Amino acid sequence: MSKTIAIAGLGWLGMPLAQKLMMRGYRIKGSVTTVKKATTLQAKGIDAYAVDMTEEGVVGAPQGLLKNAEILIIMIPPGLRRNSGSNYVGKMSHFLTEVQASDVSEVIFISSTSVYGDDQGIVTERDFPEPENEGGKQLLQAEQLFFNATGLQTSIVRFGGLYGGSRQPVKFLAGRKELSGGSAPVNLIHRDDCIEIISEIIKQQSFGKIFNAVHPSHPLKKEYYKAKAEELNLEPPTFAEDADANYKQVDSINVKAVLGYKFKREL
């Protein structure tokens, strides 16, 4: 009998992940934030539930989402880039209570390389994160909530900058002048590789581990985005000199050593 997997967050990554896992024989349930979105997906044959994480509690049908699911994939972003003051840790704490009251025993928590600080330089899964901004700090706390939770085996997946489909970061940078960070190495990953790495964790039952999911190539931003702009016939961005700045480079030991994974997409 195929396993049932619940995906909290059927968005840009969650939806194609759900489709890929269904093709591979898994039973999939998923959540979106509104009843309207859930109804639209249900009409397309997707077992979708309206679940919204708030600071007061989880609104909607969390137990409907989690019922009979053995594995839960959490891809709920912190949404703290604009310094909104949102309590992401509080939201995830409420959701953890729901998860621990369900049949779920294994969790994949989708995180980000933002948990590492620029001053840390080259980092792997062996380095404990030292986040610099509020989003990174709350994300790390949320990771620890699930990683240390009683009754759950949780793997943390820290994705680099996401691209793929219509999402190509250089489109937002094209033609801009004197940008900062030109000497920083890129830490990127294609959506296809995200999906395959999550799939391998499930297939190989690699729970209770931490994975830095970032392409192993790290060209400098000023070189990478110039080349990408030219490739797409866009005006290349220019970068200011920043020779004295510190930047992080996120590498992975476990993606290769634990999963034996080889990246499918070039940068």
Side-chain angles (χ1 to χ4, degrees):
M1 185 174 178
S2 64
K3 285 195 172 185
T4 298
I5 300 172
I7 301 176
L10 291 177
W12 179 84
L13 176 58
M15 182 57 73
L17 171 64
Q19 293 167 337
K20 183 69 71 171
L21 291 175
M22 283 189 286
M23 288 173 56
R24 292 177 177 171
Y26 296 100
R27 298 173 60 190
I28 301 298
K29 309 171 81 175
S31 76
V32 288
T33 55
T34 67
V35 172
K36 182 178 180 180
K37 290 179 182 177
T39 302
T40 300
L41 291 176
Q42 289 163 4
K44 297 178 180 179
I46 296 170
D47 193 7
Y49 298 79
V51 180
D52 191 20
M53 320 294 174
T54 76
E55 294 175 21
E56 289 72 39
V58 184
V59 178
Q63 288 305 317
L65 169 70
L66 301 172
K67 185 178 180 181
N68 299 326
E70 298 107 314
I71 298 172
L72 169 66
I73 304 171
I74 301 172
M75 37 184 64
I76 307 295
L80 294 169
R81 290 184 178 179
R82 298 173 186 256
N83 296 315
S84 62
S86 176
N87 185 354
Y88 179 70
V89 178
K91 294 177 183 179
M92 289 297 102
S93 181
H94 289 309
F95 189 42
L96 175 58
T97 300
E98 298 285 351
V99 175
Q100 289 180 307
S102 74
D103 299 321
V104 169
S105 59
E106 296 164 328
V107 174
I108 299 174
F109 187 95
I110 302 304
S111 185
S112 161
T113 56
S114 65
V115 297
Y116 296 109
D118 279 344
D119 286 341
Q120 291 189 258
I122 298 176
V123 291
T124 71
E125 295 93 343
R126 293 174 180 169
D127 296 287
F128 192 79
E130 298 173 8
E132 297 168 344
N133 57 44
E134 182 62 21
K137 290 174 182 177
Q138 290 208 39
L139 199 49
L140 179 60
Q141 290 180 59
E143 285 185 6
Q144 295 300 304
L145 271 179
F146 279 87
F147 197 72
N148 298 318
T150 302
L152 298 177
Q153 275 281 93
T154 299
S155 276
I156 306 297
V157 184
R158 295 170 179 156
F159 283 134
L162 304 173
Y163 73 100
S166 61
R167 183 180 290 189
Q168 172 50 257
V170 74
K171 291 182 179 178
F172 302 101
L173 302 178
R176 296 177 64 182
K177 308 296 183 184
E178 296 297 293
L179 295 171
S180 61
S183 297
V186 300
N187 297 293
L188 297 173
I189 182 168
H190 193 282
R191 181 169 57 183
D192 291 350
D193 283 308
C194 295
I195 290 169
E196 292 303 322
I197 287 170
I198 294 171
S199 299
E200 285 299 316
I201 292 171
I202 295 168
K203 180 181 177 182
Q204 299 185 36
Q205 288 289 286
S206 292
F207 293 97
K209 301 182 178 359
I210 295 174
F211 298 93
N212 286 348
V214 180
H215 195 281
S217 296
H218 300 281
L220 300 185
K221 284 185 178 180
K222 59 186 176 184
E223 298 169 355
Y224 175 76
Y225 288 117
K226 180 177 184 294
K228 278 294 171 185
E230 291 172 349
E231 183 182 309
L232 296 173
N233 293 317
L234 300 172
E235 181 184 353
T238 63
F239 291 84
E241 292 297 322
D242 56 355
D244 296 329
N246 295 322
Y247 296 111
K248 66 188 173 192
Q249 175 178 308
V250 183
D251 290 330
S252 177
I253 295 171
N254 291 343
V255 166
K256 183 176 181 180
V258 176
L259 300 178
Y261 184 75
K262 294 183 180 179
F263 282 77
K264 307 293 189 291
R265 291 281 195 160
E266 293 301 321
L267 288 183

